[in-house]
Amino acid sequence: MQKITPFLWFNNDAEEAANFYVSIFPNSKIRTVSRYEEAGAAVSGRAAGSVQVVSFEINGQRFDALNGGPMFSFTPAISFLVECDTQEEIDHYWEKLTEGGSVQQCGWLSDKYGVTWQIAPRILDELVSGPDAARNTRVMKAMLGMVKLDIAALEKAAAGE
């Protein structure tokens, strides 16, 4: 049983964002959608019946999303790491999540809702943290020169090619 659930604060896009995420990742679904009732609507300034919280799963991991208003916004200080086994997976998530968003260095991106993601090969930790310091440095240098990560190029750097 999952003990920690990421809880995301959106202005008005919680349901749209949840539907976007579940369309991208396998084993994903909308669990529940709760709506503001009269009392909550009056306090929050929201319309009664509008979406309050969406509970959803991304690849089996539960998330909740709140339409809480414009008081808070996302920053890259918190991101979601998506570990990929193949370049095809990296390409898929990169293409879908950058749609309407922005790219950053080293496999980081912000999606169209401002949520930050890291799209990285699962093998990356092994490539940058082994006992060979020179190899680790080559891989890190290669990674720092990338926007979307390239598994073959990282493996070449590890091999000294």
Side-chain angles (χ1 to χ4, degrees):
M1 183 71 159
Q2 180 177 313
K3 288 188 178 250
I4 299 173
T5 300
F7 197 94
L8 307 173
W9 181 298
F10 292 87
N11 182 6
N12 291 309
D13 299 329
E15 186 173 33
E16 179 182 314
N19 283 317
F20 177 66
Y21 300 139
V22 301
S23 76
I24 295 171
F25 293 89
N27 191 26
S28 300
K29 65 182 179 181
I30 301 296
R31 293 167 45 105
T32 60
V33 177
S34 64
R35 301 188 178 278
Y36 281 100
E37 298 197 16
E38 292 295 330
V43 172
S44 68
R46 301 284 173 164
S50 64
V51 172
Q52 182 178 25
V53 176
V54 180
S55 180
F56 60 104
E57 291 181 12
I58 297 177
N59 201 21
Q61 164 77 43
R62 181 179 166 188
F63 288 75
D64 286 338
L66 167 72
N67 279 332
M71 291 74 74
F72 304 109
S73 59
F74 299 109
T75 76
I78 293 182
S79 62
F80 296 109
L81 171 63
V82 180
E83 292 183 305
C84 301
D85 293 318
T86 66
Q87 189 64 45
E88 292 76 25
E89 278 187 280
I90 289 174
D91 295 346
H92 166 77
Y93 293 125
W94 190 265
E95 176 187 333
K96 298 295 185 183
L97 290 168
T98 58
E99 183 181 303
S102 62
V103 299
Q104 299 163 20
Q105 186 177 1
C106 302
W108 289 56
L109 64 90
S110 291
D111 68 27
K112 61 186 170 183
Y113 302 102
V115 176
T116 302
W117 300 82
Q118 299 176 55
I119 310 302
R122 187 175 309 281
I123 195 172
L124 185 61
D125 280 345
E126 177 185 322
L127 294 175
V128 297
S129 63
D132 183 343
R135 181 186 119 177
N136 300 345
T137 300
R138 289 191 308 269
V139 174
M140 188 61 82
K141 183 176 179 182
M143 183 183 70
L144 290 171
M146 297 178 187
V147 177
K148 177 176 72 172
L149 298 185
D150 180 323
I151 295 173
L154 293 168
E155 289 175 332
K156 279 183 173 184
E161 298 174 20

